[in-house]
Amino acid sequence: MDRTESLLTAPAAGSPATDPAPAPAPEPAVTPAQPPAEPPRRDPRWTRPALLGLLLATAVLYLWGLGASGWGNAFYSAAVQAGSESWKAFFYGSSDAANSITVDKTPASLWLMALSVRLFGLSSWSILVPQALLGVASVGVLHAAVRRWYGPVAGLLAGAVLALTPVATLMFRFNNPDALLVLLLVAAAYATVRAVETASTRWITLTGALVGLGFLTKMLQAFLVIPVFAGVYLLAAPTGLGRRIRQLLLSGLAVVVAAGWWVAVVELVPANARPYIGGSQHNSILELTLGYNGLGRITGDEEGSVGGAGRMGGGGPFSGQSGLLRMFGTEVGGQISWLLPAALILLVAGLWLAGRAARTDRTRAGLLLWGGWLLVTGLIFSFMSGIFHAYYTVALAPAVGALVGIGATLLWRARTTPPAPRWRGFAATVILAVTLAVTAWWSWRLLGRSADWYPWLRTAVLVAGLAVAGLLLLVDRLPRRVAPVLLALGAAAALAGPVAYSLQTAATPHTGSIPSAGPFVQGGFGPGGRGGFPGGGRMPGGMPVPGGQLPGFPGPQNGSAPNGGTAPNGQFPGLPGGGTAQFPGGDGRSQRGGGMGGLLDAREPSAELKALLAADADDYTWVAATVGSNNASGYQLATGEPVMPIGGFNGSDPSPTLAQFQRYIADGEIHYFIGGSGFRANGGSNASAEIAAWVAENFTAQTVDGVTVYDLSGGEQG
């Protein structure tokens, strides 16, 4: 037998085929061991170099040309800059070093980047490199988790699929919280694997702690895997039921402690001694957790948001309509779904192979672990009616990779492992061939959504995939040395589409709040996420934006300002930044700044405006105030000085109120106001519009390079 085929056929040391699970014990006093039935096999010499090669290739993919994305998501970059200058801003995740308001997430991901900036200075590299390294670590930990029970080939395949998933390439080259969240959840899955092996209290408690840290990274999204991890441990850990339950309760306590200590501090500190909690309407981290970033994402009832079910139609044009097929739709499919059909087929096939195994069978436990992760998280993403963005699906990539690696390996072993019935081996071969054929067909469909982008590739993928699938049906009649070649060709055909998308993603700068992997998709969201409206001046879904109209947004159509006032000729003088804001053009930005009037991307001040803001900066707490965090972040990153983001991300938080803002002016704490009124939606505060109107009535406007600026240093002018 060829050495590669032998490796695929032989299970890993510690796998279920060599380590039969013990019968359940009533309540053992000590943790039972699982002695191997035979001496553990050593991995071939090439497996470690192969892993190092995978990690090195992943690092190159995620790091190459990283600085081209600039600040990436400037909303978070401004908070990183603030945290690098103020430990208070660091702890709370404040948008500015003067601590007026926080970002609308828990701050763990900001901590890593802020520490990097403190060490290496403020730059796009010091912000983005930690994210790329989190991606490399995620690939390595996933490999370790899968390899432990299923062997090195399964681990390498799982890691490669994760590394090459387009949305993973996007998010590990970007500075959203998702990069750290993925690493923490993969590490929690690894800890669960270790816990299941020996019913280890230490490992299952670590699982809870890692998930709790995931909450401090992206709040309740981290908790989606809890029922899966707990259920797998409850099913498969080799100890009595009572002990399993007690261990899970201890793990739950670890979740509460790891997630809750920061929440407790924020809730106990008086509101006047900390920044306002961005994204909440009542300055409460619990409200933010359970509302805007919690159940509101499921139901669409997100007070203060500009999206949601009632306004965007079940998630809105940014993410496709909610429903069972959302993960395969135009806006999401190219991000995550390349190997999603294969993962689902292989999950079912793997469970079929596991059959009626013992309760502690690891083959079934691993499939339930990764399959449960995929199904629970994927279904919630599919049906949630609140704000959902396609890049959230990076949380599915580890599960897809694990299921592909595990399933393909199990089916290949089933071909030749005695004493299985001959029909069982033939059925496994057929399933492998069908899986490859379906994957090639689906890649052909996805590539067809970008018909003008390397049109030959989709044909090559389909032909190669179907040809190799056909040859797999004949593999037992071919020379043994042909089998590894077929496997390599099949893997190449299956991964060609996501590889091409990932390379395009790595070669494209990404900025703004809604990045997207891959090339422009006809009728979809488009490339790059530049300012949130990629695709050459079109709304998501390919809808043009004539005359500045914003379909699906609050207020009347046909040139209405976001707060309901009319704006003739489709012009919006009340939008953040002042002047006439023209909506997305070729690069997804308005004429003088961020996409959609600065809601989704940072404004880029001219040298003249930057010099104006920097003058006498040391005499003020904030060199300027403006509506919306993305507007403020652009000015803050350009000047290095605190800029107050009135109303938080959407401009709809009551921070500050008009009375508070007037006190700041009376105390001489704010130098300039950069014109704008912001967005009010879904019941949010109108404080930002009130502040903008009051400033316009009481101060003299000046225009600096097309941007309306008010000097507040002289007090009210009447």
Side-chain angles (χ1 to χ4, degrees), residues 191-577:
T192 304
V193 167
R194 297 297 303 270
V196 167
E197 290 178 354
T198 58
S200 168
T201 300
R202 177 169 57 95
W203 280 107
I204 197 62
T205 303
L206 179 59
T207 297
L210 290 168
V211 172
L213 292 176
F215 173 88
L216 291 185
T217 302
K218 207 178 179 190
M219 308 191 87
L220 291 183
Q221 184 181 332
F223 288 178
L224 297 182
V225 298
I226 287 180
V228 177
F229 292 175
V232 168
Y233 187 81
L234 189 63
L235 170 69
T239 189
L241 178 61
R243 186 166 184 258
R244 278 175 273 155
I245 293 174
R246 291 194 299 271
Q247 289 173 320
L248 287 176
L249 290 175
L250 185 60
S251 181
L253 178 62
V255 173
V256 173
V257 172
W261 68 270
W262 184 86
V263 174
V265 170
V266 174
E267 283 294 302
L268 292 173
V269 170
N272 60 5
R274 59 165 172 77
Y276 187 93
I277 303 302
S280 72
Q281 294 295 306
H282 302 92
N283 198 10
S284 168
I285 187 63
L286 293 179
E287 177 195 342
L288 177 65
T289 300
L290 300 175
Y292 183 82
N293 281 334
L295 294 178
R297 297 292 172 117
I298 305 297
T299 65
D301 184 16
E302 297 165 289
E303 189 177 10
S305 74
V306 296
R311 298 185 180 274
M312 292 297 212
F318 301 112
S319 55
Q321 294 297 310
S322 59
L324 187 61
L325 299 180
R326 176 186 262 181
M327 297 300 102
F328 302 92
T330 303
E331 292 81 6
V332 182
Q335 312 297 301
I336 186 62
S337 74
W338 299 87
L339 291 166
L340 186 52
L344 295 173
I345 294 171
L346 293 171
L347 170 61
V348 174
L351 292 174
W352 166 69
L353 288 173
R356 297 182 179 179
R359 174 182 67 81
T360 55
D361 178 67
R362 294 180 187 173
T363 296
R364 182 175 56 203
L367 290 166
L368 291 176
L369 177 73
W370 301 105
W373 176 339
L374 178 63
L375 291 175
V376 171
T377 305
L379 288 173
I380 289 176
F381 283 172
S382 295
F383 287 99
M384 59 191 289
S385 297
I387 293 175
F388 169 77
H389 298 306
Y391 66 78
Y392 293 178
T393 58
V394 69
L396 303 177
V400 171
L403 290 172
V404 169
I406 293 168
T409 303
L410 289 177
L411 287 172
W412 189 260
R413 288 175 185 166
R415 289 177 47 255
T416 57
T417 302
R422 188 168 182 178
W423 67 265
R424 187 182 178 95
F426 177 73
T429 302
V430 171
I431 295 171
L432 270 178
V434 169
T435 302
L436 178 57
V438 169
T439 301
W441 169 80
W442 184 238
S443 293
W444 178 77
R445 287 291 303 272
L446 289 175
L447 290 168
R449 294 175 180 176
S450 304
D452 296 331
W453 186 73
Y454 298 108
W456 59 268
L457 180 61
R458 65 189 300 245
T459 302
V461 167
L462 182 63
V463 171
L466 294 180
V468 175
L471 290 173
L472 279 175
L473 295 174
L474 305 173
V475 67
D476 291 332
R477 301 181 181 180
L478 299 173
R480 287 182 176 178
R481 292 188 177 183
V482 174
V485 177
L486 284 181
L487 292 177
L489 290 176
L495 292 173
V499 166
Y501 256 56
S502 290
L503 291 175
Q504 193 278 343
T505 300
T508 304
H510 292 82
T511 60
S513 298
I514 311 179
S516 180
F520 173 76
V521 175
Q522 186 63 38
F525 194 61
R530 305 179 185 91
F533 284 97
R538 292 178 176 269
M539 288 282 291
M543 183 183 297
V545 188
Q549 297 179 22
L550 285 173
F553 275 85
Q557 299 296 314
N558 301 320
S560 63
N563 286 291
T566 59
N569 301 320
Q571 298 176 348
F572 296 86
L575 284 174

Side-chain angles (χ1 to χ4, degrees), residues 53 141 399 554 607:
V141 176

Side-chain angles (χ1 to χ4, degrees), residues 595-683:
M596 214 176 79
L599 175 68
L600 299 177
D601 198 4
R603 305 184 91 67
E604 298 176 359
S606 65
E608 182 182 359
L609 180 55
K610 180 179 175 181
L612 178 71
L613 297 178
D616 302 320
D618 293 340
D619 297 335
Y620 299 89
T621 304
W622 294 276
V623 297
T626 189
V627 175
S629 295
N630 269 315
N631 278 316
S633 65
Y635 300 123
Q636 179 171 300
L637 290 166
T639 63
E641 302 290 343
V643 175
M644 178 185 289
I646 297 173
F649 185 88
N650 296 322
S652 58
D653 299 340
S655 171
T657 63
L658 175 58
Q660 289 171 330
F661 188 81
Q662 290 169 336
R663 285 199 299 271
Y664 289 138
I665 302 306
D667 294 341
E669 294 193 66
I670 306 174
H671 195 175
Y672 294 103
F673 178 82
I674 303 173
S677 63
F679 288 80
R680 183 188 182 190
N682 217 18

